[in-house]
PDB file of all heavy atoms in Angstrom:
ATOM      1  N   PRO A1135      37.308 -53.567 -35.125  1.00  0.00           N
ATOM      2  CA  PRO A1135      37.223 -53.551 -36.565  1.00  0.00           C
ATOM      3  C   PRO A1135      37.776 -54.783 -37.288  1.00  0.00           C
ATOM      4  O   PRO A1135      38.953 -55.161 -36.899  1.00  0.00           O
ATOM      5  CB  PRO A1135      38.005 -52.267 -36.968  1.00  0.00           C
ATOM      6  CG  PRO A1135      38.877 -52.083 -35.834  1.00  0.00           C
ATOM      7  CD  PRO A1135      38.268 -52.615 -34.625  1.00  0.00           C
ATOM      8  N   SER A1145      32.598 -65.515 -50.835  1.00  0.00           N
ATOM      9  CA  SER A1145      31.642 -66.008 -51.859  1.00  0.00           C
ATOM     10  C   SER A1145      30.256 -65.930 -51.328  1.00  0.00           C
ATOM     11  O   SER A1145      29.914 -66.455 -50.291  1.00  0.00           O
ATOM     12  CB  SER A1145      31.990 -67.393 -52.324  1.00  0.00           C
ATOM     13  OG  SER A1145      31.907 -68.278 -51.188  1.00  0.00           O
ATOM     14  N   ASP A1159      33.728 -52.349 -48.069  1.00  0.00           N
ATOM     15  CA  ASP A1159      35.109 -52.619 -47.719  1.00  0.00           C
ATOM     16  C   ASP A1159      36.079 -51.619 -48.311  1.00  0.00           C
ATOM     17  O   ASP A1159      37.254 -51.721 -48.164  1.00  0.00           O
ATOM     18  CB  ASP A1159      35.497 -54.079 -48.250  1.00  0.00           C
ATOM     19  CG  ASP A1159      36.119 -54.850 -47.117  1.00  0.00           C
ATOM     20  OD1 ASP A1159      36.043 -54.503 -45.978  1.00  0.00           O
ATOM     21  OD2 ASP A1159      36.754 -55.909 -47.492  1.00  0.00           O
ATOM     22  N   LEU A1161      36.651 -51.111 -51.582  1.00  0.00           N
ATOM     23  CA  LEU A1161      37.219 -51.443 -52.847  1.00  0.00           C
ATOM     24  C   LEU A1161      36.411 -50.795 -53.965  1.00  0.00           C
ATOM     25  O   LEU A1161      35.507 -51.400 -54.528  1.00  0.00           O
ATOM     26  CB  LEU A1161      37.262 -52.980 -52.963  1.00  0.00           C
ATOM     27  CG  LEU A1161      37.971 -53.739 -51.865  1.00  0.00           C
ATOM     28  CD1 LEU A1161      37.777 -55.280 -52.042  1.00  0.00           C
ATOM     29  CD2 LEU A1161      39.436 -53.405 -51.898  1.00  0.00           C
ATOM     30  N   GLU A1171      28.721 -36.684 -63.229  1.00  0.00           N
ATOM     31  CA  GLU A1171      27.380 -36.319 -63.655  1.00  0.00           C
ATOM     32  C   GLU A1171      27.051 -34.870 -63.137  1.00  0.00           C
ATOM     33  O   GLU A1171      27.103 -34.576 -61.954  1.00  0.00           O
ATOM     34  CB  GLU A1171      26.367 -37.276 -63.160  1.00  0.00           C
ATOM     35  CG  GLU A1171      26.441 -38.683 -63.787  1.00  0.00           C
ATOM     36  CD  GLU A1171      26.125 -38.579 -65.239  1.00  0.00           C
ATOM     37  OE1 GLU A1171      25.344 -37.749 -65.711  1.00  0.00           O
ATOM     38  OE2 GLU A1171      26.715 -39.441 -66.024  1.00  0.00           O
ATOM     39  N   LEU A1226      69.272 -11.185 -65.755  1.00  0.00           N
ATOM     40  CA  LEU A1226      69.825 -12.530 -65.764  1.00  0.00           C
ATOM     41  C   LEU A1226      69.582 -13.132 -67.161  1.00  0.00           C
ATOM     42  O   LEU A1226      70.522 -13.842 -67.713  1.00  0.00           O
ATOM     43  CB  LEU A1226      69.136 -13.388 -64.674  1.00  0.00           C
ATOM     44  CG  LEU A1226      69.493 -14.814 -64.629  1.00  0.00           C
ATOM     45  CD1 LEU A1226      71.046 -15.020 -64.291  1.00  0.00           C
ATOM     46  CD2 LEU A1226      68.719 -15.559 -63.563  1.00  0.00           C
ATOM     47  N   THR A1227      68.407 -12.908 -67.697  1.00  0.00           N
ATOM     48  CA  THR A1227      68.113 -13.530 -69.017  1.00  0.00           C
ATOM     49  C   THR A1227      69.038 -12.934 -70.081  1.00  0.00           C
ATOM     50  O   THR A1227      69.604 -13.676 -70.948  1.00  0.00           O
ATOM     51  CB  THR A1227      66.690 -13.144 -69.408  1.00  0.00           C
ATOM     52  OG1 THR A1227      65.794 -13.672 -68.393  1.00  0.00           O
ATOM     53  CG2 THR A1227      66.246 -13.783 -70.759  1.00  0.00           C
ATOM     54  N   VAL A1254      60.540 -15.768 -67.547  1.00  0.00           N
ATOM     55  CA  VAL A1254      59.732 -14.675 -68.130  1.00  0.00           C
ATOM     56  C   VAL A1254      58.288 -15.045 -68.362  1.00  0.00           C
ATOM     57  O   VAL A1254      57.460 -14.179 -68.633  1.00  0.00           O
ATOM     58  CB  VAL A1254      60.358 -14.196 -69.490  1.00  0.00           C
ATOM     59  CG1 VAL A1254      61.783 -13.745 -69.340  1.00  0.00           C
ATOM     60  CG2 VAL A1254      60.235 -15.309 -70.521  1.00  0.00           C
ATOM     61  N   ILE A1282      65.039 -23.479 -78.826  1.00  0.00           N
ATOM     62  CA  ILE A1282      63.598 -23.503 -79.232  1.00  0.00           C
ATOM     63  C   ILE A1282      62.849 -24.688 -78.543  1.00  0.00           C
ATOM     64  O   ILE A1282      61.728 -24.559 -78.078  1.00  0.00           O
ATOM     65  CB  ILE A1282      63.435 -23.596 -80.755  1.00  0.00           C
ATOM     66  CG1 ILE A1282      63.871 -22.262 -81.381  1.00  0.00           C
ATOM     67  CG2 ILE A1282      62.076 -24.009 -81.189  1.00  0.00           C
ATOM     68  CD1 ILE A1282      62.897 -21.168 -81.122  1.00  0.00           C
ATOM     69  N   GLY A1288      59.214 -25.051 -71.536  1.00  0.00           N
ATOM     70  CA  GLY A1288      59.021 -24.142 -70.421  1.00  0.00           C
ATOM     71  C   GLY A1288      57.628 -23.587 -70.411  1.00  0.00           C
ATOM     72  O   GLY A1288      57.121 -23.094 -69.374  1.00  0.00           O
ATOM     73  N   HIS A1398      58.890   4.664 -69.273  1.00  0.00           N
ATOM     74  CA  HIS A1398      58.414   5.880 -68.539  1.00  0.00           C
ATOM     75  C   HIS A1398      57.809   6.861 -69.562  1.00  0.00           C
ATOM     76  O   HIS A1398      56.894   7.650 -69.217  1.00  0.00           O
ATOM     77  CB  HIS A1398      59.600   6.524 -67.851  1.00  0.00           C
ATOM     78  CG  HIS A1398      60.143   5.749 -66.771  1.00  0.00           C
ATOM     79  ND1 HIS A1398      59.591   5.684 -65.555  1.00  0.00           N
ATOM     80  CD2 HIS A1398      61.244   4.917 -66.762  1.00  0.00           C
ATOM     81  CE1 HIS A1398      60.274   4.846 -64.679  1.00  0.00           C
ATOM     82  NE2 HIS A1398      61.338   4.384 -65.426  1.00  0.00           N
ATOM     83  N   CYS A1473      45.120 -16.323 -58.471  1.00  0.00           N
ATOM     84  CA  CYS A1473      44.626 -17.404 -57.719  1.00  0.00           C
ATOM     85  C   CYS A1473      43.154 -17.144 -57.279  1.00  0.00           C
ATOM     86  O   CYS A1473      42.314 -18.004 -57.345  1.00  0.00           O
ATOM     87  CB  CYS A1473      45.470 -17.715 -56.463  1.00  0.00           C
ATOM     88  SG  CYS A1473      47.119 -18.293 -56.833  1.00  0.00           S
ATOM     89  N   THR A1562      53.039 -21.473 -82.737  1.00  0.00           N
ATOM     90  CA  THR A1562      54.156 -21.350 -83.714  1.00  0.00           C
ATOM     91  C   THR A1562      53.716 -20.568 -84.966  1.00  0.00           C
ATOM     92  O   THR A1562      54.551 -19.926 -85.593  1.00  0.00           O
ATOM     93  CB  THR A1562      54.633 -22.758 -84.228  1.00  0.00           C
ATOM     94  OG1 THR A1562      53.591 -23.402 -84.819  1.00  0.00           O
ATOM     95  CG2 THR A1562      55.109 -23.584 -82.977  1.00  0.00           C
ATOM     96  N   LEU A1629      56.725 -29.823 -60.141  1.00  0.00           N
ATOM     97  CA  LEU A1629      57.077 -28.498 -60.631  1.00  0.00           C
ATOM     98  C   LEU A1629      58.603 -28.257 -60.424  1.00  0.00           C
ATOM     99  O   LEU A1629      59.317 -27.844 -61.396  1.00  0.00           O
ATOM    100  CB  LEU A1629      56.286 -27.399 -60.017  1.00  0.00           C
ATOM    101  CG  LEU A1629      54.928 -27.069 -60.704  1.00  0.00           C
ATOM    102  CD1 LEU A1629      54.123 -26.130 -59.844  1.00  0.00           C
ATOM    103  CD2 LEU A1629      55.153 -26.524 -62.040  1.00  0.00           C
ATOM    104  N   VAL A1670      56.355 -52.461 -66.399  1.00  0.00           N
ATOM    105  CA  VAL A1670      55.405 -52.931 -67.416  1.00  0.00           C
ATOM    106  C   VAL A1670      55.285 -54.463 -67.389  1.00  0.00           C
ATOM    107  O   VAL A1670      54.141 -54.967 -67.488  1.00  0.00           O
ATOM    108  CB  VAL A1670      55.964 -52.489 -68.869  1.00  0.00           C
ATOM    109  CG1 VAL A1670      55.112 -53.126 -69.912  1.00  0.00           C
ATOM    110  CG2 VAL A1670      55.930 -50.977 -68.946  1.00  0.00           C
ATOM    111  N   VAL A1675      52.987 -59.303 -67.764  1.00  0.00           N
ATOM    112  CA  VAL A1675      53.390 -60.789 -67.736  1.00  0.00           C
ATOM    113  C   VAL A1675      54.258 -60.953 -66.496  1.00  0.00           C
ATOM    114  O   VAL A1675      55.501 -61.125 -66.656  1.00  0.00           O
ATOM    115  CB  VAL A1675      54.022 -61.162 -69.015  1.00  0.00           C
ATOM    116  CG1 VAL A1675      53.051 -61.379 -70.120  1.00  0.00           C
ATOM    117  CG2 VAL A1675      55.038 -60.134 -69.502  1.00  0.00           C
ATOM    118  N   PRO A1723      30.053 -35.359 -49.397  1.00  0.00           N
ATOM    119  CA  PRO A1723      28.633 -35.141 -49.706  1.00  0.00           C
ATOM    120  C   PRO A1723      27.786 -36.083 -48.774  1.00  0.00           C
ATOM    121  O   PRO A1723      28.176 -37.210 -48.509  1.00  0.00           O
ATOM    122  CB  PRO A1723      28.515 -35.503 -51.114  1.00  0.00           C
ATOM    123  CG  PRO A1723      29.766 -36.222 -51.468  1.00  0.00           C
ATOM    124  CD  PRO A1723      30.819 -35.742 -50.545  1.00  0.00           C
TER     125      PRO A1723
END
Side-chain angles (χ1 to χ4, degrees):
S1145 60
D1159 231 16
L1161 301 174
E1171 291 294 330
L1226 177 62
T1227 303
V1254 301
I1282 288 289
H1398 296 281
C1473 294
T1562 61
L1629 272 172
V1670 172
V1675 281

